[in-house]
Amino acid sequence: MQVKTKAIVISSLKFQEKSLIVKCFTLSNGLKSYFVRDAFSSRKTSQKIAYFQPLSILEIEAVHKNKGTLENFKELKTAVPFQTIHTDIFKSTMVMFLSEVLHYSIQEEEKNESLFLFLETALTWLDHHDEISNFHLILLLEITKYLGFYPDISEIDLPFFDVNDGVFTHFQNGNVLTEHETSLLKKLIDLKFDNDQKVFHVLERQMLLKILIDYYSFHLDGFKKPKSLEILKEVFS
């Protein structure tokens, strides 16, 4: 089946000496993996490598055999030409981390148009703004809406948050955040991308990041702590 769709690059892996395996989250078909033959072998094809930076948004034409094997691109071009994301050290580190999170979070080959459109809008916002300290925290929390485990905020006034059940509670036991951690989470729940980025200091951001990674680990089978997490902490410390 020949398909024309937008696609967000989740990861790219060098295969042997000259080729790439590229995992994309597509608008039309969800998660797909593609084989790029001889990506490193000539000047003409090596230019394609630039397309496959983390969370690049592409317009692709591809042949989907839908047999559980690697698919093939026929044509590709940039759909959203980022101006700053891959050149600004803070933004590029952030998208490297977020692409790893998505790699472990989006595991099914099924269409999720609302998540795709949210990610496209959020990445475009990131590209056009400079005050981005909380972007990754807000994005991680918002993604849980599309993956089915956003916190139940119906009783948000209660003092503790149960990570396992995703609810606010009167009681503090095994997998429940402290009152201080819970208050930080409540503050994050109220944040939008355009809000004051200085609402948290560095240690609070690191605490929230740990809370969110632990929350993903509880609710997603096979989720792994991203290797780029320590780089992210270093850059934003």
Side-chain angles (χ1 to χ4, degrees):
M1 178 193 302
Q2 189 161 323
V3 176
K4 185 173 183 179
T5 183
K6 283 184 177 179
I8 298 173
V9 176
I10 302 299
S11 65
S12 60
L13 177 68
K14 191 173 182 179
F15 179 75
Q16 297 181 341
E17 288 300 312
K18 298 179 179 180
S19 303
L20 279 175
I21 296 173
V22 180
K23 182 177 287 188
C24 293
F25 180 50
T26 70
L27 178 60
S28 63
N29 296 88
L31 202 62
K32 284 287 181 183
S33 292
Y34 300 88
F35 183 64
V36 184
R37 187 182 303 277
D38 296 333
F40 298 91
S41 64
S42 74
R43 180 174 297 180
K44 181 180 179 182
T45 54
S46 67
Q47 292 174 0
K48 290 183 178 181
I49 298 167
Y51 290 134
F52 305 126
Q53 296 182 78
L55 302 190
S56 293
I57 304 175
L58 307 176
E59 183 78 48
I60 69 169
E61 287 187 41
V63 177
H64 287 175
K65 295 180 180 178
N66 298 316
K67 294 181 179 179
T69 56
L70 295 174
E71 312 290 11
N72 292 283
F73 294 118
K74 289 196 68 179
E75 299 286 341
L76 71 163
K77 62 182 180 180
T78 300
V80 180
F82 293 142
Q83 304 301 312
T84 64
I85 280 180
H86 295 128
T87 56
D88 179 290
I89 183 64
F90 297 102
K91 294 181 182 181
S92 62
T93 303
M94 198 173 272
V95 297
M96 178 174 64
F97 165 76
L98 291 169
S99 68
E100 252 195 290
V101 171
L102 290 169
H103 176 76
Y104 292 123
S105 301
I106 304 172
Q107 299 166 349
E108 299 297 327
E109 284 195 20
E110 58 183 44
K111 183 176 179 179
N112 192 335
E113 186 173 326
S114 57
L115 175 56
F116 185 98
L117 295 175
F118 166 71
L119 290 172
E120 181 181 33
T121 300
L123 291 167
T124 302
W125 184 95
L126 176 66
D127 191 50
H128 288 89
H129 291 80
D130 296 322
E131 296 297 324
I132 61 162
S133 300
N134 300 318
F135 176 84
H136 57 308
L137 301 175
I138 298 170
L139 192 79
L140 287 178
L141 184 62
E142 289 295 308
I143 287 171
T144 66
K145 290 180 179 177
Y146 303 95
L147 298 180
F149 57 99
Y150 187 76
D152 180 349
I153 60 172
S154 59
E155 296 190 83
I156 197 169
D157 292 334
L158 298 180
F160 303 109
F161 181 71
D162 187 320
V163 175
N164 196 29
D165 293 334
V167 298
F168 291 89
T169 177
H170 287 290
F171 310 105
Q172 187 175 19
N173 49 41
N175 296 316
V176 173
L177 302 182
T178 67
E179 196 162 359
H180 176 57
E181 290 169 336
T182 302
S183 70
L184 291 178
L185 180 62
K186 289 178 181 180
K187 193 181 290 187
L188 179 61
I189 286 172
D190 287 336
L191 274 191
K192 306 298 180 196
F193 291 133
D194 286 321
N195 289 148
D196 180 14
Q197 295 292 310
K198 297 177 181 178
V199 66
F200 302 118
H201 59 63
V202 172
L203 292 178
E204 288 177 329
R205 285 195 193 96
Q206 291 181 356
M207 191 179 296
L208 277 167
L209 189 54
K210 182 182 184 306
I211 289 168
L212 289 166
I213 293 298
D214 288 346
Y215 191 50
Y216 271 66
S217 298
F218 269 109
H219 291 274
L220 292 175
D221 289 338
F223 183 83
K224 298 179 182 178
K225 185 171 77 170
K227 294 177 182 177
S228 56
L229 181 58
E230 295 307 315
I231 302 173
L232 183 75
K233 289 179 181 177
E234 186 70 26
V235 169
F236 282 89
S237 62

